[in-house]
Amino acid sequence: MDQTLKETLKKKISNRETKVCIIGLGYVGLPNALDFARKGFSVLGIDIDKERVQKFNRGENYILGTDEKGELKKFVAAGKVSAQVDFSDLGQMDVIVICVPTSLSSNLAPDLQHIKNSVREIARRLRRGQLICLESTVYPGTSEEIVLPLLESSGLKAERDFYLCHSPERVDPGDGNYGTKQLSRIVGGIGPDSLEVGVFFYEQITEKIFPVSEIKIAELAKVYENTFRAVNIALVNELMLLCDQMKISVWETLDAAYTKPFGIMPFYPGPGVGGHCIPVDPHYLEWKAREYGFYTRFISIAGEINRKMPYYIREIILRALNSLGVVPARAKILLMGMAYKKDINDARESPAIALAELLLKDGMGICYHDPYIEAVEIFSQKFISVPLEEEVVSSSDLVVITTDHSVINYQWLIEKARKIVDTRNATKGLKDIEQKVVLI
Ligand SMILES: NC(=O)c1ccc[n+]([C@@H]2O[C@H](COP(=O)([O-])OP(=O)(O)OC[C@H]3O[C@@H](n4cnc5c(N)ncnc54)[C@H](O)[C@@H]3O)[C@@H](O)[C@H]2O)c1
């Protein structure tokens, strides 16, 4: 153990002489870059997406709700932050934070190619005294089994020459209530020195740190958090399916149940789950569990129920069209929202896309409006968000509220639409819902 190496890095961190590199400037990396810049660090962002890098260097925010005060532009102008596509400067960095995507293959296995690629780039330039922090969501064992051997292939040894920690990001895009200040950070280290340096580093941006004794615990805690959410959403979606059969309002049932101040948490039904976390992360755990001959039944059932939701919404749409006397193959449907949840500009894994695919297969004519998603590709066809004009709404046989963005005037929509299928309870408490709105 080299006390001087560790103390030198900690001193550089507290004196802000540290150069912080963020690899991956997306939903996690961009806010991170701003957080560190705000605290006086000089930040270099690296991303393989040229367009993102150019936008970053122009100070243009490309992630809704991330830079409301326009700080990126100021930091770029002051030379505090910059971005590039090449990795050649990694050796000059003191701290490297990895925020690259972790997706799934088509058969629900973890796809760690982005992590491996960035770690290989780091390993090529690894030098003594660097701290590497993995923030991407991973299954328990990734840091020890994948990241560590790649880094040590450089000839340097963790704890003796460099430090490795995992601090899973917990940001909730679109939710201004939970930023860096409000959220605590779990930190795990590959050894005690890595933990100490990792905790010291993250303490610079937040007071709320929860150190854990093993790096695997940090990895598992994060996938468990998202599994908890996926399972509870599935539970409430299943309740909705039952309520449909029993002709009971699921929404009023939930409003009543959620008046209990303990032992229950509000989750709501919808057209399915989306984004980069909830439909993905639980399957990381499911996949890893199989190595131990263990089957995580809650995860597979939750995945199955949540993935079926667009099929159920399709059924409701068919029923609504039937009530209007419209043949599905001639129906014109306006989907309100492509983002996977309200007030964000992220359509990855969006249930609205899954639903649109089903409707297209039925031969329906579809268009969509989303104030935050300019265009999407469905079955290799480009769809562009249509303007929300009276003519567009009134000429549609059915309007389907797929995302409940706050900026939409739902009362106006009810007035202009022939009929609405509301998958989000966005029309709650509005006038004329009995005549016009079919609520799931
Ligand atoms: N989006 C969320 O709400 C959220 C919340 C918490 C945790 N996470 C986790 O954080 C990680 C990142 O997610 P995200 O939503 O920010 O992803 P993102 O797709 O928004 O951003 C990732 C960025 O990394 C870049 N990239 C990919 N491979 C790269 C490489 N080899 N080198 C450099 N850049 C590369 C991409 O071009 C992209 O700009 C994932 O593991 C995700 O599960 C996401």
Side-chain angles (χ1 to χ4, degrees):
M1 243 184 286
D2 184 343
Q3 290 299 331
T4 329
L5 197 69
K6 190 173 68 183
E7 292 313 321
T8 307
L9 178 56
K10 283 171 72 177
K11 202 165 163 197
K12 278 179 103 175
I13 291 173
S14 53
N15 293 345
R16 301 299 188 259
E17 292 159 14
T18 336
K19 287 188 183 141
V20 176
C21 175
I22 312 277
I23 304 186
L25 295 170
Y27 287 84
V28 166
L30 176 63
N32 245 334
L34 294 172
D35 278 339
F36 288 111
R38 240 174 250 131
K39 294 293 176 181
F41 289 97
S42 103
V43 178
L44 172 69
I46 299 183
D47 200 297
I48 51 171
D49 182 337
K50 245 189 206 162
E51 210 180 303
R52 273 204 167 161
V53 164
Q54 284 166 353
K55 281 188 179 162
F56 187 102
N57 285 332
R58 287 197 297 266
E60 254 174 57
N61 176 25
Y62 44 86
I63 292 179
L64 192 69
T66 294
D67 183 27
E68 311 277 70
K69 295 187 199 144
E71 287 173 294
L72 181 61
K73 210 167 223 142
K74 285 185 212 147
F75 291 144
V76 170
K80 284 177 93 175
V81 302
S82 65
Q84 59 192 45
V85 285
D86 77 281
F87 293 81
S88 53
D89 293 327
L90 279 176
Q92 294 161 35
M93 301 295 126
D94 301 290
V95 181
I96 301 169
V97 183
I98 304 170
C99 306
V100 295
T102 42
S103 46
L104 287 174
S105 70
S106 52
N107 54 356
L108 303 184
D111 176 0
L112 293 181
Q113 56 161 321
H114 299 296
I115 291 190
K116 287 181 188 165
N117 290 346
S118 18
V119 175
R120 281 192 199 105
E121 296 287 354
I122 299 170
R124 256 177 234 146
R125 296 143 181 117
L126 194 65
R127 63 161 175 83
R128 293 194 78 230
Q130 283 183 316
L131 166 65
I132 316 299
C133 304
L134 177 64
E135 288 201 15
S136 303
T137 308
V138 289
Y139 58 78
T142 310
S143 300
E144 280 162 300
E145 295 158 18
I146 309 280
V147 179
L148 182 66
L150 281 174
L151 290 174
E152 290 193 334
S153 68
S154 64
L156 298 181
K157 264 209 97 38
E159 291 288 281
R160 187 191 68 193
D161 300 313
F162 67 92
Y163 308 101
L164 171 62
C165 71
H166 176 56
S167 180
E169 176 57 64
R170 300 161 121 180
V171 70
D172 181 17
D175 185 349
N177 296 322
Y178 293 105
T180 313
K181 269 193 198 134
Q182 297 81 12
L183 281 169
S184 55
R185 252 192 189 277
I186 300 170
V187 183
I190 204 80
D193 283 353
S194 294
L195 180 63
E196 185 184 325
V197 180
V199 166
F200 188 80
F201 174 62
Y202 283 108
E203 271 172 356
Q204 310 301 312
I205 54 164
T206 175
E207 287 163 12
K208 298 179 191 168
I209 305 271
F210 191 87
V212 289
S213 59
E214 282 191 81
I215 204 158
K216 274 184 206 159
I217 294 177
E219 293 166 332
L220 181 56
K222 169 70 191 182
V223 275
Y224 174 67
E225 287 169 14
N226 285 352
T227 300
F228 176 86
R229 196 161 168 74
V231 167
N232 280 284
I233 293 172
L235 182 65
V236 85
N237 277 336
E238 191 182 57
L239 182 75
M240 176 183 67
L241 298 176
L242 175 66
C243 283
D244 183 33
Q245 299 290 311
M246 297 177 82
K247 303 280 172 260
I248 296 175
S249 161
V250 69
W251 300 98
E252 201 177 337
T253 306
L254 293 174
D255 283 347
Y258 295 152
T259 55
K260 187 179 176 187
F262 58 90
I264 197 159
M265 272 178 88
F267 286 92
Y268 294 96
V273 290
H276 197 42
C277 298
I278 308 302
V280 175
D281 302 345
H283 297 296
Y284 268 57
L285 187 56
E286 182 183 42
W287 178 88
K288 187 65 180 172
R290 279 202 215 115
E291 198 178 298
Y292 297 80
F294 192 99
Y295 292 86
T296 50
R297 279 173 290 168
F298 274 109
I299 294 177
S300 40
I301 293 169
E304 192 187 322
I305 293 176
N306 290 334
R307 273 191 298 275
K308 270 196 184 147
M309 294 319 293
Y311 291 85
Y312 169 70
I313 304 299
R314 169 183 170 263
E315 194 186 315
I316 302 286
I317 290 171
L318 290 175
R319 279 190 228 163
L321 288 174
N322 198 30
S323 75
L324 294 169
V326 177
V327 177
R330 282 198 217 111
K332 281 171 74 186
I333 312 281
L334 168 65
L335 298 176
M336 287 297 299
M338 270 297 150
Y340 76 88
K341 65 172 185 173
K342 73 193 278 188
D343 302 338
I344 61 163
N345 63 346
D346 189 354
R348 289 175 300 177
E349 317 278 335
S350 176
I353 293 181
L355 177 65
E357 286 177 353
L358 294 176
L359 303 184
L360 285 171
K361 275 189 197 161
D362 286 334
M364 296 187 205
I366 61 158
C367 64
Y368 86 92
H369 172 78
D370 190 312
Y372 308 124
I373 310 280
E374 246 173 72
V376 287
E377 205 170 291
I378 306 170
F379 291 145
S380 313
Q381 196 186 330
K382 192 173 180 185
F383 286 80
I384 295 173
S385 173
V386 294
L388 192 56
E389 287 163 359
E390 184 172 343
E391 155 67 14
V392 174
V393 178
S394 59
S395 66
S396 301
D397 295 305
L398 201 63
V399 174
V400 183
I401 302 175
T402 33
T403 317
D404 48 340
H405 288 308
S406 313
V407 291
I408 304 294
N409 183 343
Y410 293 102
Q411 190 63 68
W412 176 85
L413 201 65
I414 294 172
E415 276 161 33
K416 306 300 171 201
R418 208 173 151 198
K419 198 158 194 104
I420 292 180
V421 167
D422 182 358
T423 72
R424 302 281 191 175
N425 204 13
T427 54
K428 183 180 180 181
L430 299 181
K431 274 195 290 171
D432 300 329
I433 48 175
E434 294 79 16
Q435 301 91 300
K436 291 267 189 94
V437 179
V438 180
L439 186 60
I440 60 163

